[in-house]
Amino acid sequence: QTSAEKKISNLQERTGPAVLMLAAAYLLIRLTGSKGMMALVFLMQVGMYYESTSVVGDFNNKEGKIDGIDSFGLQKWWWFATAVMLTSGRKMISDATSLSMDRMNLVTFGMSSLSLVGAVVQLAMVSSDVAEDIYRSYLGKVAFASLVGAVVQLAMVSSDVAEDIYRSYLGKVACCHFSLLFLVGQSSFWIRTIKDYGLIWVLFPALLVVVNDTMAYVFGVLLGKHKLLPRLSPKKTVEGFVGAGLSTLAVAAPLLRRMAEKDSVADLGKHALMLALYVSLVSPFGGFLASAVKRAHGAKDFGTLIPGHGGAVDRFDCQVVTAPFVYLYLKNFLAESGAGAAVEPLIEEVAKVVSLEEAADVVSDVVGAGI
């Protein structure tokens, strides 16, 4: 097979799972609405965190590095739960229960404190004959250690192995921050966007990323001759990047107008082009960063969850980069150009006691009056 034939064959292999994913997402949204989408976001966070930490863990195992902390897996997921609480969990639980945000802040702080206590207890329980090696391996994995604690631990390393230990420690800390901040932290903006502006403002940017990714592959297969970032992603080309950008800009405004035809948001074309520009120029670099992580740890993909695509991180690396921008853009500019940001949630509240038509009229009167 020639290079072009291999690319076309790969495209055909990827098409089936991609169609199935879109169909599944459509059915989920159709049947469950915003709540189902938020549940899906949480499941994606779980999958991405598992994959990204497993890539590094598998690499360390191949290198023969000692672990020895039996409960490290449990603590790793406790840290994940703490990160979820720090981002969107506190607000969602507070809204769904009678617990105040102050109480939820206290609970979250307690979770982070408990992780510190658990880490120290586990270190104290290590048998003395392997304690030194275990300490060095384990301390490199503790992502939530305080700044002072981390520096003190580094300072206690013996000088003859200090350089190697520092390198190992900082590398693992960087990986943990990538997983929890880059993946979990940024994807939490999807939940905030759904709650504040509605489901459409998550679906529309997500579709733009799909269009951009697909057209980058198509243009790369048909016209690609110049590598974009060959050391990170050898298959990505300049022609694919440019063609994908132009395609995304071309479909953005018609797509948003079609999806938001019942909303009263002004300047839809402008909003569509701004989001499309970000998706075209910035979002692909989320994929490049993910590629760098895989290459650094000798992995082809982050997982095998999606045939032809890899794992959840492989599929959503560009999506998570888009999520914070969309929320911050809407927060700064949508309210200035129309009342669409407030119409949907207000209609939902009023519709609990009156019909949908009456609710729309009430909200329109309120907005028109400048209340």
Side-chain angles (χ1 to χ4, degrees):
Q1 284 187 323
T2 64
S3 177
E5 289 174 340
K6 289 181 180 178
K7 291 180 179 179
I8 293 175
S9 176
N10 190 23
L11 178 61
Q12 292 173 341
E13 180 184 356
R14 292 160 57 97
T15 300
V19 172
L20 289 176
M21 283 191 298
L22 290 174
Y26 172 79
L27 289 175
L28 177 68
I29 294 167
R30 185 82 174 178
L31 297 174
T32 63
S34 299
K35 291 183 179 179
M37 190 64 183
M38 287 190 283
L40 178 61
V41 169
F42 175 73
L43 292 176
M44 289 166 51
Q45 289 177 333
V46 172
M48 290 188 294
Y49 182 66
Y50 170 78
E51 290 175 355
S52 58
T53 54
S54 294
V55 164
V56 179
D58 292 343
F59 177 79
N60 289 335
N61 291 336
K62 291 178 182 177
E63 294 291 309
K65 295 183 179 180
I66 299 175
D67 192 334
I69 302 296
D70 295 333
S71 66
F72 180 76
L74 175 62
Q75 293 183 39
K76 181 179 74 172
W77 287 105
W78 181 262
W79 297 335
F80 170 80
T82 304
V84 171
M85 288 290 288
L86 283 168
T87 52
S88 56
R90 291 174 298 168
K91 184 66 165 60
M92 294 181 66
I93 294 176
S94 178
D95 291 344
T97 66
S98 59
L99 295 174
S100 66
M101 276 299 293
D102 289 338
R103 186 63 57 84
M104 292 310 305
N105 289 337
L106 184 60
V107 170
T108 305
F109 177 78
M111 292 175 66
S112 62
S113 299
L114 186 58
S115 68
L116 172 63
V117 174
V120 173
V121 169
Q122 285 298 320
L123 288 173
M125 293 174 64
V126 174
S127 59
S128 59
D129 56 337
V130 295
E132 186 174 346
D133 289 336
I134 299 302
Y135 290 168
R136 290 173 181 167
S137 174
Y138 181 70
L139 289 171
K141 296 179 180 178
V142 182
F144 283 94
S146 66
L147 174 62
V148 174
V151 173
V152 169
Q153 291 295 339
L154 289 175
M156 293 172 63
V157 175
S158 59
S159 59
D160 56 335
V161 295
E163 186 174 335
D164 290 339
I165 298 302
Y166 291 168
R167 186 179 296 110
S168 175
Y169 178 86
L170 294 174
K172 291 172 183 176
V173 169
C175 170
C176 290
H177 280 80
F178 171 82
S179 301
L180 291 169
L181 299 180
F182 184 82
L183 297 175
V184 178
Q186 291 195 117
S187 62
S188 67
F189 280 91
W190 281 324
I191 295 176
R192 300 183 66 177
T193 300
I194 292 172
K195 292 175 70 68
D196 292 353
Y197 298 100
L199 191 56
I200 182 177
W201 294 104
V202 171
L203 296 179
F204 170 67
L207 289 176
L208 288 185
V209 173
V210 171
V211 170
N212 188 267
D213 184 58
T214 302
M215 297 311 295
Y217 193 87
V218 171
F219 277 94
V221 170
L222 298 178
L223 304 174
K225 294 182 179 179
H226 303 89
K227 302 296 184 182
L228 183 61
L229 296 171
R231 291 186 178 179
L232 293 180
S233 189
K235 296 181 180 180
K236 300 296 177 65
T237 64
V238 174
E239 293 81 2
F241 185 83
V242 174
L246 295 176
S247 301
T248 305
L249 290 170
V251 305
L255 178 61
L256 183 57
R257 290 193 180 99
R258 174 63 177 149
M259 296 178 68
E261 58 184 358
K262 296 181 181 179
D263 288 348
S264 59
V265 181
D267 299 327
L268 280 179
K270 182 187 76 172
H271 297 318
L273 289 177
M274 291 302 296
L275 295 182
L277 277 172
Y278 186 89
V279 166
S280 300
L281 299 178
V282 180
S283 296
F285 286 85
F288 297 142
L289 179 57
S291 296
V293 173
K294 288 186 290 186
R295 285 186 170 276
H297 297 91
K300 181 179 183 295
D301 294 312
F302 279 96
T304 58
L305 178 66
I306 310 170
H309 294 264
V313 179
D314 298 290
R315 186 66 278 161
F316 298 107
D317 47 12
C318 298
Q319 297 278 8
V320 295
V321 176
T322 310
F325 174 77
V326 172
Y327 178 81
L328 295 173
Y329 176 84
L330 296 177
K331 192 173 182 65
N332 282 275
F333 299 107
L334 186 62
E336 295 180 2
S337 56
V343 169
E344 183 178 344
L346 194 53
I347 285 181
E348 290 178 354
E349 291 299 317
V350 179
K352 294 179 181 178
V353 293
V354 297
S355 68
L356 184 59
E357 291 78 9
E358 292 172 332
D361 292 338
V362 171
V363 174
S364 297
D365 291 341
V366 170
V367 173
I371 299 177

